[in-house]
Amino acid sequence: MGSAQFHWIGRGRLALSVVLSLFCLVPCSPALAALAEIGGLTVTLPDAATGWRKAGKGNLFMLQKDFPETEDDKRGNALIQITKPLPAARSALQAGMKIFVATLPDMAKEDILVKHYGVTVNGYDIRVEERCCVHQKNVSISQIVVGIAGDRQQAYLQLVLLNVNGDRSRSAEADFATLVRSVKLDPSDKDFDLVPASEDGGLDGVFTHLDTGLRPNVFGGMDFYSDSTITTFDPKGLFGTELPKGGRSITEHCKETPTDCGLYTLTGGGFFSSAGSIEMRSVTSAYGTIEIETKTFSKKGEDLMIADADHRAVPPFDEGTTLDGEWVSTFASSGMTATSSGSVASSHTLRLHRKGTFERIGWSGASLTNEIGGSQSGVTSSSNRPGASGRYKLSGYRLDLTDVSGKTETMSIFAPDKGSDGLLVINGNNYLKDDGK
């Protein structure tokens, strides 16, 4: 990629002062159509009801959304900017990202807070970089830049947030991510979807792997964790890292939550032997970035060995299964720094009876202490979860709890230890059976 290929960015570079001039000043145009064609690139635009409007003129296609001032938030503004496709080799993506980030010169000096990279469903390279925060003229500015590159051309998109944070920021970022997933550099490109190819698939079932270790917490300390991670394989080629909730199929779950999912292919092996490796193509962000990993693979009876880690088959509960006992899920985290200390704890108890009834209770508490200039302050809080009771139903990997009012809550459930109900994993949380000792 030569600099001349991106010379238009140099001429049309958006300094912060130009971006600030758009801050609630650009008049909104009439509502946009659902699709936009930008120099051969096609994107699906946010619905006009969400407040996004076309704004500005020049080399960049721009959308703007205004956020009014409220009691809790300043007046804010969000901008989406999209380039026309630029002629450049696939290998030039990272260099092109640096140039496009520099359209906000002060932002280019900031460290990358979040970065994703991989490929799209159409096989293009994609990079996502998030930076925050530059302050100018009492305006806080953050930036998310996305670059998408094929063999002969690439395009860049960015979201600029001006005094936008919290729920407003999450809403704008979700709209931007949806737009990015819709990008088509070529008319033949398909929509974002996890569709297995003919060579994908070959496994069926739910498998669990025990993952343990230490990880830092928000209080500056370290927590020990022991998680029974899940991988659900669909025979056609989908896999998921969470059990579908609410009775959904894995296909439905992956459409709603693609970042829990991916596609897999078994490779290697011979006519008389099973595959020797598994290629897993995981969706790693809401922007549709797909990371491809190839791991060693073998079968061990009903279980699997993936990257030399044991993944044990988890049988589903037969419909109408009942359990008897009390299971408790507890969580605690604590730590301290030179000037503060804190802790949080919670406990939830679920009682299941052979006759198909249940009761559950719970509590949580937290404390925080700060010391500034020899003066110490602290806060402590606790609460009890209202008790509930009613009837339950077990089927497959699904637990339905129906309370006395008739309201039903559906959760995922599995027992990671074969032939034992000593540990139940419910909605991803470990519940240990209380044996009364």
Side-chain angles (χ1 to χ4, degrees):
M1 176 186 68
S3 60
Q5 292 172 304
F6 287 91
H7 187 56
W8 70 271
I9 293 181
R11 294 198 308 269
R13 197 159 90 167
L14 297 174
L16 283 178
S17 59
V18 176
V19 174
L20 289 171
S21 72
L22 290 170
F23 186 50
C24 299
L25 296 180
V26 176
C28 291
S29 68
L32 294 167
L35 294 176
E37 192 274 334
I38 307 167
L41 173 151
T42 303
V43 295
T44 302
L45 302 172
D47 190 287
T50 63
W52 289 98
R53 303 287 181 176
K54 187 175 180 181
K57 298 179 180 180
N59 291 316
L60 296 176
F61 179 91
M62 297 178 61
L63 301 175
Q64 178 178 338
K65 182 175 182 177
D66 301 327
F67 296 90
E69 183 175 358
T70 67
E71 184 177 336
D72 298 321
D73 297 295
K74 296 180 181 179
R75 182 179 58 180
N77 196 249
L79 301 172
I80 293 176
Q81 302 170 328
I82 309 171
T83 70
K84 297 178 181 179
L86 308 169
R90 186 184 290 256
S91 60
L93 178 59
Q94 190 167 356
M97 286 285 288
K98 291 181 179 179
I99 295 173
F100 195 71
V101 167
T103 59
L104 299 181
D106 286 3
M107 194 63 73
K109 302 173 187 177
E110 299 295 315
D111 293 333
I112 302 172
L113 296 181
V114 179
K115 178 167 60 178
H116 302 285
Y117 49 87
V119 298
T120 70
V121 292
N122 290 300
Y124 301 126
D125 290 350
I126 178 172
R127 292 181 68 89
V128 182
E129 297 180 1
E130 180 176 343
R131 292 171 172 83
C132 180
C133 296
V134 169
H135 296 271
Q136 259 199 20
K137 299 180 181 180
N138 297 317
V139 176
S140 174
I141 307 171
S142 60
Q143 175 197 52
I144 301 175
V145 173
V146 179
I148 301 174
D151 291 332
R152 296 182 299 276
Q153 62 179 356
Q154 50 197 244
Y156 296 88
L157 309 89
Q158 75 171 340
L159 173 67
V160 180
L161 299 177
L162 311 169
N163 278 349
V164 176
N165 50 43
D167 289 341
R168 290 176 162 187
S169 173
R170 286 185 284 273
S171 172
E173 290 172 23
D175 290 340
F176 181 57
T178 300
L179 185 149
V180 170
R181 292 198 305 271
S182 76
V183 169
K184 296 180 180 179
L185 288 180
D186 187 272
S188 65
D189 289 344
K190 61 184 180 182
D191 293 330
F192 176 85
D193 198 2
L194 291 175
V195 180
S198 58
E199 66 271 17
D200 292 338
L203 299 174
D204 189 13
V206 175
F207 300 83
T208 183
H209 167 67
L210 182 62
D211 181 27
T212 62
L214 294 172
R215 57 189 169 209
N217 60 43
V218 296
F219 304 113
M222 299 293 290
D223 293 336
F224 173 78
Y225 68 90
S226 177
D227 296 331
S228 295
T229 62
I230 273 289
T231 307
T232 301
F233 289 104
D234 175 81
K236 293 183 179 180
L238 274 175
F239 75 86
T241 56
E242 297 286 343
L243 281 172
K245 297 180 176 64
R248 298 176 181 86
S249 68
I250 187 171
T251 301
E252 293 169 330
H253 176 76
C254 290
K255 281 185 176 295
E256 296 173 5
T257 318
T259 50
D260 288 345
C261 299
L263 300 167
Y264 73 94
T265 305
L266 300 176
T267 58
F271 186 79
F272 296 105
S273 62
S274 64
S277 61
I278 182 170
E279 180 187 87
M280 304 185 76
R281 310 187 295 281
S282 306
V283 180
T284 57
S285 77
Y287 301 96
T289 54
I290 297 174
E291 179 179 317
I292 302 174
E293 294 181 287
T294 300
K295 306 176 182 180
T296 59
F297 172 88
S298 63
K299 290 185 177 181
K300 191 171 64 174
E302 295 181 347
D303 302 334
L304 307 177
M305 291 292 291
I306 301 176
D308 297 324
D310 186 20
H311 291 252
R312 292 176 296 170
V314 179
F317 287 100
D318 293 331
E319 185 168 357
T321 296
T322 58
L323 301 175
D324 189 54
E326 178 175 290
W327 287 263
V328 182
S329 174
T330 58
F331 172 78
S333 180
S334 64
M336 62 186 304
T337 66
T339 58
S340 67
S341 63
S343 64
V344 63
S346 64
S347 178
H348 299 279
T349 299
L350 175 66
R351 300 187 186 99
L352 301 176
H353 306 287
R354 291 287 182 200
K355 58 185 179 181
T357 59
F358 79 92
E359 300 94 33
R360 62 174 174 171
I361 56 175
W363 62 267
S364 61
S367 66
L368 181 65
T369 302
N370 287 290
E371 185 172 342
I372 302 176
S375 176
Q376 191 177 80
S377 63
V379 61
T380 301
S381 66
S382 63
S383 63
N384 291 320
R385 174 177 179 164
S389 61
R391 299 196 63 82
Y392 74 92
K393 181 181 179 181
L394 273 170
S395 178
Y397 304 100
R398 172 174 173 168
L399 172 64
D400 291 331
L401 299 179
T402 304
D403 64 22
V404 292
S405 71
K407 180 181 177 181
T408 298
E409 181 178 0
T410 298
M411 297 176 285
S412 64
I413 184 172
F414 68 93
D417 299 325
K418 292 181 180 178
S420 171
D421 63 4
L423 171 63
L424 300 178
V425 180
I426 303 174
N427 269 6
N429 298 312
N430 292 336
Y431 280 74
L432 286 172
K433 191 172 187 179
D434 187 350
D435 58 8
K437 296 180 180 179

